Amino acid sequence: VRFAPTTNGVKNAIVTVVNDDIDEAAYSYAIQGTAFTILPVTVLSFKAVATGKITKLFWETATEINNAGFEIQRSIDGNTRWETIGFVKATNFANGSKYSFNDLAPLRGLNAYRLKQIDIDGRFTNSNTELVNFSGDATIISISPNPAKDKLNVIFNDKKLLNTQAKIRSASGALVATVTLNNYHQPIDISNLPGGLYFITFFDGSVQRIIKQ
């Protein structure tokens, strides 16, 4: 008998075994079990620290069971418009683990961060919220990985670049792709491009060099 409770407490059931012998009646017996909630993941701490032009995030778990991983989420006010800026896969070490993630292009002004811990079955919990403030007005554009094989991640912090187009040109100047930047962490598929040197130009006139492997 497999006991798979969904809530805490004492659970009772009657198991009936049907007998196909006409001379014997069905046999029934009672079973009982007590269910306890076991937290699949216990997050001990979560911190966000401004270091230079980036935000470094650190967190630590005490236990992990059936943990798929952590979405790193960011918001401009800590209440609304949470966006996922990264994902860190879980180690699922029974005694817990230490994790880190870098936001390479924090927004100007307030940045609120939290973790969305996701179980393998899809259930999730959110961590505490950490606030970091960047007062500088410099535009930051980061591209990774570089060199890349199939996908680039364009990360930027300037609101003026949202919903604008970035153009990718070959070393000879030929336009090979145009991408609309819908969010601050924009993936770009370059799997169909031949290997070589390319340049990506942004709406504000900045240009970055990329290499397709």
Side-chain angles (χ1 to χ4, degrees):
V1 176
R2 183 172 182 267
F3 181 43
T6 57
T7 58
N8 290 344
V10 176
K11 309 295 180 181
N12 296 285
I14 300 295
V15 177
T16 300
V17 180
V18 178
N19 196 330
D20 61 1
D21 189 332
I22 59 174
D23 295 330
E24 300 288 342
Y27 176 70
S28 297
Y29 58 94
I31 59 174
Q32 184 182 86
T34 303
F36 299 95
T37 297
I38 300 177
L39 295 176
V41 181
T42 301
V43 178
L44 287 177
S45 62
F46 170 59
K47 298 293 182 183
V49 180
T51 304
K53 295 182 178 181
I54 70 174
T55 302
K56 292 187 176 182
L57 308 174
F58 306 92
W59 65 99
E60 183 177 356
T61 61
T63 57
E64 293 188 33
I65 301 172
N66 296 324
N67 183 13
F70 304 87
E71 283 187 6
I72 295 86
Q73 298 185 335
R74 185 181 66 190
S75 168
I76 59 173
D77 59 11
N79 294 313
T80 59
R81 295 179 60 186
W82 287 99
E83 63 169 342
T84 299
I85 62 173
F87 181 82
V88 175
K89 187 176 180 180
T91 63
N92 272 309
F93 293 155
N95 295 326
S97 296
K98 293 182 178 181
Y99 298 90
S100 64
F101 178 86
N102 293 337
D103 182 1
L104 301 178
L107 302 174
R108 296 171 182 173
L110 182 68
N111 292 258
Y113 297 94
R114 73 181 182 187
L115 300 175
K116 180 179 180 181
Q117 182 275 314
I118 305 173
D119 295 342
I120 290 176
D121 62 7
R123 291 182 292 181
F124 67 88
T125 56
N126 294 322
S127 72
N128 59 291
T129 299
E130 287 284 297
L131 303 178
V132 176
N133 198 355
F134 282 85
S135 58
D137 58 358
T139 296
I140 301 173
I141 301 176
S142 173
I143 296 178
S144 65
N146 194 9
K149 290 184 178 181
D150 300 316
K151 186 177 72 172
L152 288 172
N153 293 302
V154 176
I155 305 170
F156 59 94
N157 69 338
D158 192 344
K159 185 178 181 180
K160 293 179 181 178
L161 292 178
L162 274 177
N163 301 314
T164 64
Q165 290 186 332
K167 299 181 182 298
I168 301 177
R169 300 181 185 274
S170 66
S172 64
L175 180 65
V176 297
T178 300
V179 180
T180 300
L181 303 177
N182 296 316
N183 56 67
Y184 292 104
H185 283 239
Q186 180 74 46
I188 299 178
D189 183 7
I190 59 170
S191 59
N192 62 333
L193 297 180
L197 175 65
Y198 295 87
F199 296 91
I200 181 168
T201 304
F202 296 90
F203 178 76
D204 64 354
S206 58
V207 180
Q208 292 212 20
R209 177 176 177 270
I210 57 179
I211 297 176
K212 165 65 189 301
Q213 290 181 330

